[in-house]
């Protein structure tokens, strides 16, 4: 019986993964090269494939086999135990919701997207307001179906994006950030910064930016036999297991550091994907689905390594060689300080390492307030602007640069934002542990980041989705998630950068 | 009942086409950019998707609906009539074959591919011989299952690649070619050709070749909103309906005309695909599956337009502008004569317009002899070399440059080769008809090939797979397939080029 159920499970998993493979390639094509005139038809085709995929997920024989295996989970090997645990959890979270509710949610979010675009374009929140109101109502309703003994309210959503995270943990995290970072940011905003900064907006030809991006890929040891990089409107990384890992970048002639740090960021995701153990090939564990854990790796490479003095001490000469003309009179010190400048700003995606988590904190607070009914959607712009004034000290001139800037809520993604800040915090905790094993000056300043890659493979990457993020963190760093490392890291780094006592 | 069967048919067609869409995109990715390390896993995934696709094709409810609709075909609208006719024919040709035979054939051809590569690399026919022997045996066996009252023997295979074509028709065609072209080629091979030819192997930078390829795409009015072009090892065109038509090209620095004529050839296929009527969107008729008819269009553009004096009179200045250095002392006359030089050679894919059909004739004769048992696979190299001597007057130095040069037989594709020559012959018959409506000097020498495109859309392209190729030919040219136009075209063109009476 057990064998039989296992066979059904494995056979269906194989089919589901084949569909996912097709989705990934089609999506990659859409984002990187498909002709615009092909996209209308394409969304119809994706609809047909999705419905075949759903038929397979809800196939009674498959559902029964998952339930049976879950009931006899102690009889399975460890790998399959973890797999069934995850599959069962995902399946339940869909099966618990009435089908009509799921369909309505997909209709509502499909309409909310264009409404958000229109509202943003016209700087008119009221166009988006009714859609968001309905989304919040529906999220609340969904939560009532999904609550368990362990997970209540907002926790249900937080756990979907990062297994094991709760309001309680996030609250502690953001409280600490608020306490330590808000005063530091105020202090810094009054400092002088006597470095050359004006070089950054010269013209940097795209071809040369690409040359440096390829150099960075070599430094990070990206394996082009099992991956590739390309251009797209928004940089992203996409994987179909460790043998086919793809990333994109975007190049602006008048803002060249964007492509450098996007490249390092996406290569961070890609390195994670490429370094997962072959043990998990073809299983649902071959790619990490914990958002914050994945983000912790991209941010580790982007910020902790990629904005370190050691890294640029090694690689700035190459950058200068490629951009002789533009960087002629720019020193390593200038460049290092430019890429680490802190400044209170309006747009999350353009924020620096120090102010970034406060953008997230504001969103987290507002999501929680909306879902608990403390505030209403119609008052969101007021609360948004108030928070930006309070924590970042800036006035939001309009909703376009304020509450309408991000697409997430229009897609019904509540609980997603906090993983961004959490990822950075994880990365600092990993950094603290890494320092005990590696000579950071050597590792970050190396010609190739072999030692950094190895440490992260050993402690994080190899596990894919096999271990829970909290266990990875604990095993790698010796303790549970502790936000103090992140705060310490930021405070030390920025006090030093700004010559503060 | 009819409505019900129609619904089942349409619902399944939608799913089948969604799978085909996914196959096309994944294949495009494989050919143009997928990392090599991803391909092993990819073939497994394709296996899984194929098996789901086959389950759908052989689903009894679907097969029943097709059979029912076929039995009541007179009750359907014309479009669906043609669709069901084609689907039923394809279905029968698969259902008639024992499943074990189909599986064995896929195993045998999967092994024959690598054996062919090895045999070719080592110039050792005996490595490939047992595989090809088995393939020929199996083709014979398959024919016995597929024969009908109308189609016997080799005709069964010929019809699969070009609906309506038979040994009788091909025999007449090739007999005429043999009679008219063999003596002409002999005569030409003794002629002097006093034009500059040595410019062609200078170094032509790839970026500049691409610039000219884009120019050609503009001349041919390729619609980039509904298509794209890219690079791959072997040029090809791939479509998912008229809204997403893709072609590739290959660029050699030391052989620049290759990329020019490959581009025109593939754009010919692509123009066909883009000009199919929207009436056939989402049906099985939206792309032409007749090989020779499709090839007739690529060759029409490549040879009849693309190697015409009028075309280069208009576009040679642009070519010279791009390659100032390389073409400095080359005249229009030199260039025109270079791209139309006839020469007996060993390799089919590199053959010129005049000698090309004889390469095909040799393969056709040999296929027929193998399938009828007149010759055995082990003697194939001897017959091959004998034919090359007889018709092209050249000695084949080894099997690598002889019988092992093409991949087709290793893939089990018997009946495919003759469509290549037939395509050229169709194109000459279309040309003869076109001359009666269009001023060719104006149409071929235009800045953009609008008139040529319109004529071909009106008479050929719009129909996709709706009309049988023989009907398209008849309606467009006023008569059935007649090889005399092809022979006339070649004889006139080459007697003039070589100053023969």
């Amino acid at each position: 019986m057990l064998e039989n159920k296992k066979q059904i499970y494995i056979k269906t998993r194989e089919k589901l993964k084949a569909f996912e493979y097709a989705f990934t390639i089609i999506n990659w094509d859409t984002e990187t090269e498909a002709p615009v005139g092909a996209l209308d038809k394409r969304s119809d085709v994706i609809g047909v494939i999705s419905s075949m995929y759903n038929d397979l997920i809800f196939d009674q024989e498959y559902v029964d086999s998952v339930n049976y295996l879950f009931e006899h989970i102690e009889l399975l090997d460890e790998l399959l135990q973890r797999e069934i645990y995850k599959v069962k959890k995902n399946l339940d979270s869909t099966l618990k919701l009435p089908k009509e509710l799921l369909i309505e949610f997909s209709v509502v979010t499909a309409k909310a997207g264009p409404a958000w675009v229109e509202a943003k374009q016209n700087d008119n929140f009221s166009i988006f307001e009714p859609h968001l109101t309905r989304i919040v109502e529906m999220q609340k309703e969904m939560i009532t179906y999904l609550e368990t003994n362990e997970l209540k309210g907002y926790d249900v959503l937080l756990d979907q994006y990062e297994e094991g995270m709760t309001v309680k943990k996030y609250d502690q995290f953001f409280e600490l950030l608020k306490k330590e970072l808000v005063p530091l940011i105020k202090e810094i905003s009054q400092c002088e910064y006597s470095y050359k900064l004006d070089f950054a907006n010269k013209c940097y030809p795209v071809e040369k930016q690409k040359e440096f991006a390829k150099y960075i890929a070599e430094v990070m040891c990206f394996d082009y036999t099992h991956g590739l990089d390309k251009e797209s409107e928004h940089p992203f990384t996409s994987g179909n297991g460790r043998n086919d890992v793809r990333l994109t970048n975007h190049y602006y002639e008048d803002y060249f550091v964007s492509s450098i740090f996007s490249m390092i960021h996406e290569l961070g995701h890609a390195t994670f994907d490429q370094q997962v153990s072959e043990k998990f090939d073809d299983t649902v564990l071959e790619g990490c689905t914990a958002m914050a854990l994945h983000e912790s790796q991209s941010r580790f490479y982007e910020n902790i390594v990629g904005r370190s003095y050691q890294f640029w001490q090694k690689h700035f000469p190459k950058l200068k060689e490629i951009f002789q003309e533009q960087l002629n009179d720019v020193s390593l010190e200038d460049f290092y300080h430019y890429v680490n400048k802190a400044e209170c700003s309006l747009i999350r995606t353009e924020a620096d390492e120090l102010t970034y988590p406060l953008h997230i904190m504001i969103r987290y607070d507002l999501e929680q307030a909306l879902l608990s009914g403390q505030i209403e959607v119609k008052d969101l712009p007021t609360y948004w602007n108030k928070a930006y004034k309070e924590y970042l000290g800036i006035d939001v001139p309009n909703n376009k640069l304020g509450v309408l800037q991000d697409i997430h809520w229009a897609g019904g993604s509540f609980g997603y934002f906090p993983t961004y800040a959490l990822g950075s915090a994880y990365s600092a905790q990993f950094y603290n542990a890494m320092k005990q094993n590696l000579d950071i000056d050597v590792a970050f300043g190396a010609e190739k980041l072999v030692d950094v890659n190895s440490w992260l493979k050993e402690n994080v990457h190899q596990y894919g989705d096999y271990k829970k993020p909290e266990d990875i963190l604990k095993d790698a760093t010796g303790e549970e998630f502790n936000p103090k490392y992140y705060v310490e890291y930021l405070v030390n780094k920025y006090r030093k950068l700004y010559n503060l006592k």
Side-chain angles (χ1 to χ4, degrees), chain A:
Chain A
M1 184 68 164
L2 188 76
E3 266 321 301
N4 174 260
K5 296 292 181 188
K6 260 177 93 171
Q7 285 314 313
I8 294 168
Y9 168 71
I10 286 167
K11 203 80 202 153
T12 309
R13 180 186 69 186
E14 195 177 60
K15 291 180 183 175
L16 289 170
K17 285 182 73 74
F19 276 122
E20 287 158 16
Y21 191 98
F23 282 131
T24 310
I25 299 291
I26 294 173
N27 184 55
W28 172 258
D29 185 83
T30 301
E31 296 297 333
T32 63
E33 68 180 34
V36 286
L39 298 183
D40 249 7
K41 166 106 178 252
R42 170 159 299 189
S43 59
D44 295 344
V45 173
I46 289 174
V48 176
I49 302 182
S50 299
S51 106
M52 290 194 277
Y53 180 76
N54 282 328
D55 288 349
L56 212 50
I57 283 195
F58 297 124
D59 176 70
Q60 200 54 48
E61 204 183 33
Y62 170 66
V63 172
D64 289 347
S65 78
V66 172
N67 285 330
Y68 183 91
L69 293 172
F70 188 75
E71 283 155 25
H72 301 81
I73 201 157
E74 73 291 347
L75 301 176
L76 308 176
D77 64 54
E78 275 184 55
L79 200 157
L80 196 55
Q81 280 193 8
R82 172 70 177 153
E83 220 183 321
I84 291 298
Y85 173 82
K86 284 197 77 80
V87 170
K88 165 79 174 155
K89 196 169 159 185
N90 284 337
L91 207 53
D92 283 352
S93 74
T94 323
L95 289 175
K96 276 182 176 175
L97 296 173
K99 218 164 187 175
E100 310 76 57
L101 191 63
L102 275 173
I103 294 168
E104 196 195 340
F105 194 64
S106 69
V107 173
V108 167
T109 50
K111 286 182 183 162
W116 167 75
V117 171
E118 201 192 332
K120 189 174 171 180
Q121 272 167 358
N122 297 293
D123 186 25
N124 184 347
F125 184 71
S126 67
I127 296 173
F128 183 44
E129 192 198 311
H131 297 274
L132 186 55
T133 303
R134 185 72 195 116
I135 287 174
V136 171
E137 277 170 17
M138 294 193 76
Q139 286 278 347
K140 286 187 200 171
E141 196 184 339
M142 288 166 131
I143 286 172
T144 63
Y145 287 103
L146 297 172
E147 283 181 325
T148 63
N149 286 336
E150 295 80 36
L151 296 173
K152 303 284 180 199
Y154 191 25
D155 283 354
V156 169
L157 305 182
L158 294 173
D159 182 78
Q160 282 181 347
Y161 292 99
E162 185 73 6
E163 196 180 357
M165 282 304 291
T166 58
V167 167
K168 197 177 154 200
K169 292 183 191 173
Y170 274 122
D171 276 353
Q172 285 172 351
F173 171 45
F174 286 118
E175 272 310 311
L176 186 68
L177 293 189
K178 198 181 297 178
K179 186 169 149 260
E180 300 287 337
L181 300 188
V182 172
L184 176 63
I185 289 169
K186 285 219 170 100
E187 208 177 338
I188 280 178
S189 65
Q190 278 142 22
C191 289
E192 293 268 325
Y193 209 52
S194 58
Y195 297 95
K196 220 183 277 261
L197 304 166
D198 59 349
F199 63 87
N201 301 96
K202 289 182 181 173
C203 176
Y204 292 76
V206 168
E207 283 314 309
K208 295 198 163 195
Q209 290 190 46
K210 286 186 182 171
E211 189 186 337
F212 190 70
K214 286 278 179 207
Y215 170 80
I216 290 287
E218 274 179 42
V219 170
M220 288 180 64
C221 312
F222 181 67
D223 173 7
Y224 278 102
T225 313
H226 299 95
L228 63 94
D229 70 310
K230 216 169 153 192
E231 273 180 84
S232 71
E233 184 57 33
H234 301 286
F236 69 97
T237 301
S238 146
N240 259 323
R242 67 193 169 88
N243 289 316
D244 192 354
V245 178
R246 297 155 180 232
L247 59 118
T248 69
N249 202 353
H250 192 106
Y251 301 88
Y252 304 95
E253 287 214 324
D254 59 352
Y255 183 35
F256 83 117
V257 294
S258 165
S259 77
I260 297 176
F261 290 100
S262 289
M263 191 73 186
I264 303 177
H265 183 98
E266 298 309 330
L267 281 165
H269 285 302
T271 303
F272 191 162
D273 291 348
Q274 286 196 329
Q275 295 204 117
V276 172
S277 164
E278 61 181 62
K279 273 193 292 195
F280 307 119
D281 281 1
D282 305 323
T283 73
V284 301
L285 308 175
E286 68 180 335
C288 165
T289 57
M291 304 300 300
L293 187 66
H294 224 304
E295 196 70 10
S296 79
Q297 300 306 293
S298 53
R299 285 173 194 246
F300 188 94
Y301 284 99
E302 179 193 349
N303 292 329
I304 296 184
V305 182
R307 293 184 202 267
S308 72
Y309 191 80
Q310 300 95 323
F311 185 81
W312 287 108
Q313 206 169 17
K314 181 73 191 172
H315 304 295
F316 187 62
K318 180 70 184 181
L319 188 68
K320 246 183 125 144
E321 180 191 315
I322 293 177
F323 295 110
Q324 278 173 11
E325 195 190 317
Q326 295 86 342
L327 298 177
N328 182 31
D329 58 351
V330 178
S331 70
L332 169 62
E333 293 296 324
D334 289 330
F335 186 76
Y336 172 66
H337 282 84
Y338 170 74
V339 302
N340 283 296
K341 192 171 180 305
E343 202 163 26
C344 291
S345 62
L346 289 162
I347 304 294
R348 176 184 64 85
T349 55
E350 293 167 13
D352 55 78
E353 197 182 353
L354 178 63
T355 59
Y356 186 87
L358 298 190
H359 289 261
I360 298 302
M361 183 185 72
I362 292 168
R363 286 154 177 79
Y364 168 76
D365 286 346
L366 292 172
E367 285 192 357
Q368 212 180 344
L370 282 168
L371 291 171
S372 67
Q374 267 177 279
I375 66 169
E376 286 177 60
V377 169
K378 72 174 171 50
D379 301 320
L380 201 52
T382 311
Y383 286 106
W384 179 284
N385 298 353
K386 203 166 150 267
Y388 266 77
K389 185 70 184 173
E390 185 177 345
Y391 302 125
L392 290 159
I394 52 174
D395 295 307
V396 178
N398 56 50
N399 290 327
K400 200 169 161 172
L401 297 172
V403 69
L404 287 173
Q405 68 182 267
D406 294 308
I407 197 178
H408 301 59
W409 290 338
S413 299
F414 277 71
Y416 189 160
F417 277 127
T419 65
Y420 290 135
L422 185 63
S424 299
Y426 283 175
S427 72
Q429 188 166 336
F430 287 128
Y431 177 47
N432 187 66
M434 187 188 276
K435 278 197 282 193
Q436 281 139 52
N437 303 130
L438 293 184
D439 180 334
I440 293 297
D441 288 343
V442 173
F444 286 15
E447 203 177 314
K448 303 209 180 234
L449 295 178
V450 182
D451 292 343
V452 171
N453 287 354
S454 296
W455 194 93
L456 290 171
K457 179 176 183 175
E458 177 69 22
N459 290 284
V460 183
H461 302 173
Q462 62 160 316
Y463 299 110
D465 231 8
Y466 179 61
K467 280 165 76 169
K468 291 186 186 178
E470 52 194 314
D471 292 334
I472 287 187
L473 204 65
K474 210 159 115 187
D475 294 344
T477 70
E479 62 179 309
E480 292 190 352
F481 170 53
N482 187 343
K484 84 167 184 184
Y485 297 108
Y486 182 40
V487 171
E488 267 177 24
Y489 161 79
L490 287 176
V491 170
N492 289 340
K493 175 169 179 176
Y494 279 88
R495 295 201 85 83
K496 200 170 162 203
L497 276 162
Y498 282 83
N499 275 318
L500 299 170
K501 297 270 157 60

